[in-house]
């Protein structure tokens, strides 16, 4: 007995209310196991892989890639239980087949000629649900025959009895917040669907084909074998003669059938592709999709607006010149979602909630560059990235220990300032999905090699789009390296809930007065933004000066740390 279960989008943490479907790892008809990764979703903070809480066969994908789905909305349906893969248990005979010679009417009408065999006979899972429409005359005859209704009720009672006697399932451990409940969910049995006639009536015949005259497809095809399209027997005519056999119609494969069904209502394409087509003035209904399940891809749309092949020399030069110009939209609209949506809300809340003050300090960091060169030669840093950001991060951690108020946050509801005596150091990382700020937990307790390793791992994870919500939460102070973009400084916006953020500019050769003489030195600029509700000007200036002093002379980190 199979059961259709729906997988609802869970809350993956931090109270998120929605997520975008990035990529499906399964398709209808695929078999899945518990904890198998089935889909990638993008929340307001990170891309998360979701495992399956069920074992069975994927019946349908309820949300398309690129769609924004609210938490708690079903996104996948899975057929579970015996026969979920479409095969009947060994030795089990179809319940609808009547015993020979008993005269008992079958509970279901025969499948129409040319229809696919049941799902267990090698056809796709959806094939069992496709039935041809019944003529009005046959529907009237079936509704007038009390034996058909009685047989249908008997089949429904038999199935209901099977559900009640099914064994209870053990609860399985899953990776999401809910899973398979104890016992099997009882669902109302669907009324058996009567199929249409096997063939058209003979010329001149007006009487409908009785429902009991047809042979069920299940009785005609052994379990586990592929039934040919002609397996169904022709229905008998009113005079007992056999009506002419209709030409069997081939059932399209699963993907083609799904594509045809969607195309009949609306062309199958992702939202970005639809937008591109709208901008370029392309009608999607006129295109033939080359993507999965017949979907229209970006290449299909661009191919539609590409100029035709060049004509022979001297023929239609003016037309060819105009066609060579590729249509370029004057404007482009990008949906605000995912990380961009979260970043916009965060910086807006920060800019209009915390009064920002930014101070700048230009300094000679030649001592730091020399120290970095020596650190790279040590075996403790083998295979690690030793960059100016590493020393700047260590200097900020030491400064936060010397001046704890810079490592604090404002609690508006409690009307309190929360001073953190630990450092969860945030690292602003630019990724293809936008700006994310994961943080190194308890960075104050790490040695310099451990901090270098943690910074490298956090940055690689962020750029790969695999940052988890836990890595993005509970930061206390942030550092950003704008120097990698070739700029000297900026006015960074505070991460919401934090009191300060330090920006490190590029290190470049510049004239500098060193020991009373003009010389070319390695010079950089630091910028410190802080929340003026918590940090006064003297404290902010002192912290920035301390960080600068440690970068100018790295030995101070040992003295102060």
């Amino acid at each position: 007995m199979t059961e259709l279960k729906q997988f609802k989008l869970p809350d993956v943490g931090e109270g998120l209310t929605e997520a975008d479907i990035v990529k499906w790892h399964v398709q209808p008809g695929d078999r899945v196991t518990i904890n198998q990764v089935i889909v990638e979703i993008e929340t307001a903070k990170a891309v998360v892989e979701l495992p399956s809480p069920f074992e069975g066969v994927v019946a349908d994908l309820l949300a398309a890639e690129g769609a924004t789905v609210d938490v708690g909305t079903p996104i996948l349906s899975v057929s579970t239980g015996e026969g979920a893969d479409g095969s009947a248990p060994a030795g089990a005979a179809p319940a609808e087949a009547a015993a020979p010679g008993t005269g008992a009417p079958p509970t279901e009408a025969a499948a129409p000629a040319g229809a696919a065999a049941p799902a267990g006979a090698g056809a796709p899972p959806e094939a069992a649900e496709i039935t041809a429409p019944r003529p009005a005359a046959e529907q009237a005859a079936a509704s007038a025959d009390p034996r058909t209704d009685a047989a249908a009720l008997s089949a429904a009672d038999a199935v209901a009895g099977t559900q009640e006697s099914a064994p209870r399932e053990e609860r399985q451990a899953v990776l999401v917040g809910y899973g398979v409940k104890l016992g099997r969910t009882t669902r109302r049995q669907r009324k058996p669907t009567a199929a249409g006639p096997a063939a058209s009536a003979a010329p001149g015949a007006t009487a409908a084909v009785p429902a009991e005259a047809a042979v069920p497809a299940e009785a005609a095809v052994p379990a586990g074998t592929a039934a040919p399209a002609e397996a169904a027997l022709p229905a008998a005519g009113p005079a007992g003669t056999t009506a002419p056999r209709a030409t069997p119609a081939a059932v399209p494969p699963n993907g083609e059938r799904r594509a045809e069904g969607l195309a009949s209502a609306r062309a199958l394409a992702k939202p970005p592709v639809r937008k591109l087509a709208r901008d370029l003035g392309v009608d999607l209904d006129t295109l033939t999709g080359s993507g999965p399940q017949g979907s229209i891809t970006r290449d299909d749309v661009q191919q539609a607006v590409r100029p035709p092949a060049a004509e022979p020399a001297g023929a239609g030069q003016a037309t060819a010149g105009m066609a060579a110009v590729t249509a370029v939209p004057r404007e482009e609209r990008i949906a605000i979602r995912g990380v961009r949506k979260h970043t916009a809300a965060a910086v807006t809340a920060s800019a209009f909630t915390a009064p920002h003050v930014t101070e700048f300090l230009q300094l000679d960091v030649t001592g730091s560059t020399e120290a970095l060169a020596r650190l790279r030669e040590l075996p403790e840093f083998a295979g690690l990235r030793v960059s100016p950001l590493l020393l700047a991060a260590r200097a900020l951690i030491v400064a936060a220990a010397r001046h704890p108020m810079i490592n604090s946050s404002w609690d508006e509801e409690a009307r309190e300032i929360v001073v953190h005596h630990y450092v969860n150091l945030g690292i602003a990382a630019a990724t293809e999905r936008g700006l994310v700020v994961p943080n190194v937990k308890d960075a104050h307790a790490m040695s310099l090699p451990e901090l270098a390793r943690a910074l490298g791992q956090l940055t690689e994870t962020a750029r790969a789009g695999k940052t988890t919500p836990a890595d993005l939460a509970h930061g206390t102070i942030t550092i950003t390296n704008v120097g990698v973009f070739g700029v000297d400084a900026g006015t960074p916006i505070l991460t919401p809930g934090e009191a300060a953020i330090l920006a490190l500019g590029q290190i470049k050769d510049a004239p500098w007065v060193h020991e009373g003489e003009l010389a070319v030195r390695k010079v950089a600029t630091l910028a410190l933004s802080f929340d003026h509700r918590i940090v006064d000007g003297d404290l902010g200036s002192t912290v920035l000066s301390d960080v600068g002093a440690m970068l100018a002379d790295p030995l101070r980190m040992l003295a102060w740390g």
Side-chain angles (χ1 to χ4, degrees):
M1 179 63 190
T2 62
E3 181 179 357
L4 192 65
K5 295 185 178 181
Q6 291 183 336
F7 175 42
K8 299 180 180 179
L9 180 66
D11 180 359
V12 294
E14 300 298 316
L16 300 173
T17 60
E18 64 181 18
D20 299 332
I21 304 298
V22 176
K23 179 181 179 182
W24 283 105
H25 290 272
V26 295
Q27 294 297 326
D30 293 348
R31 171 164 286 280
V32 295
T33 58
I34 293 177
N35 293 341
Q36 175 184 338
V37 175
I38 55 176
V39 65
E40 291 182 12
I41 65 170
E42 180 181 9
T43 68
K45 296 184 177 182
V47 172
V48 181
E49 295 180 341
L50 296 184
S52 171
F54 310 125
E55 180 176 2
V57 176
V58 177
D60 196 9
L61 307 181
L62 306 180
E65 293 182 358
T68 300
V69 183
D70 293 332
V71 170
T73 302
I75 61 175
L76 177 77
S77 60
V78 179
S79 295
T80 62
E82 293 183 356
D85 58 351
S87 60
E96 295 81 356
T102 60
T107 58
E108 293 185 359
E126 294 86 345
E129 299 180 2
I130 300 179
T131 57
R134 301 177 64 184
E138 182 181 353
Q139 292 181 2
S143 60
D145 192 345
R147 294 176 296 174
T148 303
D149 294 338
L153 293 176
S154 300
D157 294 340
V159 173
T162 303
Q163 287 184 335
E164 294 176 358
S165 61
R168 297 178 63 85
E169 299 177 350
E170 295 293 335
R171 184 177 181 87
Q172 301 289 341
V174 295
L175 297 182
V176 293
Y178 60 90
V180 183
K181 295 181 179 180
L182 292 178
R184 180 175 295 178
T185 304
T186 301
R187 293 181 179 271
R188 184 177 59 186
Q189 176 66 18
R190 296 181 181 179
K191 185 176 180 180
T193 304
S200 303
T206 57
V209 180
E212 60 271 16
V215 178
E218 292 85 347
V221 183
T225 61
E230 299 84 3
L233 297 180
T241 60
T242 302
R245 181 185 299 273
T247 302
V251 177
N254 180 27
E256 296 180 6
R257 184 170 60 254
R258 289 175 56 86
E260 291 174 2
L262 291 173
S264 62
R266 189 180 185 190
L268 182 62
K270 296 181 180 179
V273 178
R274 293 185 181 278
K275 181 185 178 304
L276 177 62
R278 187 166 54 252
D279 294 339
L280 298 180
V282 176
D283 185 2
L284 293 178
D285 294 334
T286 63
L287 302 182
T288 300
S290 62
Q293 300 180 356
S295 61
I296 299 175
T297 66
R298 181 180 293 270
D299 291 338
D300 296 335
V301 176
Q302 293 175 343
Q303 182 67 29
V305 298
R306 288 194 183 119
E311 297 181 1
Q317 295 180 355
T319 304
M322 296 179 60
V325 180
T326 304
V328 177
R330 292 171 59 86
E331 295 180 348
E332 182 179 1
R333 292 180 176 268
I334 302 175
I336 302 174
R337 59 178 60 180
V339 172
R340 178 60 58 190
K341 179 179 179 181
H342 172 72
T343 302
V347 297
T348 301
S350 176
F352 291 96
T353 301
H356 284 56
V357 174
T358 304
E359 293 185 341
F360 302 90
L361 176 64
Q362 192 174 41
L363 68 154
D364 179 4
V365 293
T366 304
S368 288
T369 58
E370 294 174 351
L372 289 172
R374 297 183 61 185
L375 288 175
R376 294 187 183 104
E377 298 175 355
L378 297 178
E380 290 80 4
F381 291 91
L384 301 178
R385 178 175 174 79
V386 181
S387 66
L389 180 64
L390 175 61
L391 293 184
R394 171 59 72 184
L396 182 60
I397 293 172
V398 174
R402 288 168 56 84
H403 310 283
M405 192 63 70
I406 199 71
N407 186 40
S408 58
S409 58
W410 183 277
D411 190 340
E412 183 67 30
E413 294 184 359
R415 304 299 298 174
E416 296 175 341
I417 295 175
V418 182
V419 181
H420 308 291
H421 295 288
Y422 60 92
V423 176
N424 288 345
L425 182 63
I427 306 296
T431 69
E432 294 182 356
R433 300 169 52 245
L435 177 67
V436 295
V437 189
N439 59 82
V440 179
K441 300 295 190 294
D442 294 326
H444 64 286
M446 293 182 176
S447 63
L448 199 59
E450 292 174 341
L451 182 60
R453 183 175 293 103
L455 291 177
Q457 293 175 348
L458 210 62
T459 303
E460 291 178 1
T461 303
R463 290 175 179 170
K466 301 298 183 181
T467 303
T468 64
D471 291 334
L472 297 167
H474 309 302
T476 61
I477 195 169
T478 299
I479 185 172
T480 176
N481 186 8
V482 298
V484 296
F485 305 112
V487 299
D488 295 330
T491 55
I493 296 179
L494 295 170
T495 303
E498 299 179 9
I501 179 173
L502 177 70
L504 172 64
Q506 67 172 331
I507 298 177
K508 61 182 181 179
D509 293 333
W512 195 265
V513 177
H514 177 65
E515 296 180 352
E517 296 182 359
L518 188 63
V520 177
R521 305 285 289 180
K522 299 292 185 181
V523 178
T525 302
L526 300 177
L528 180 70
S529 293
F530 51 85
D531 186 347
H532 214 343
R533 297 175 300 176
I534 303 174
V535 181
D536 296 330
D538 61 340
L539 175 59
S541 301
T542 301
V543 170
L544 183 59
S545 178
D546 283 359
V547 173
M550 286 183 278
L551 292 179
D553 183 7
L555 289 179
R556 290 183 181 271
M557 295 185 195
L558 299 178
W560 293 348

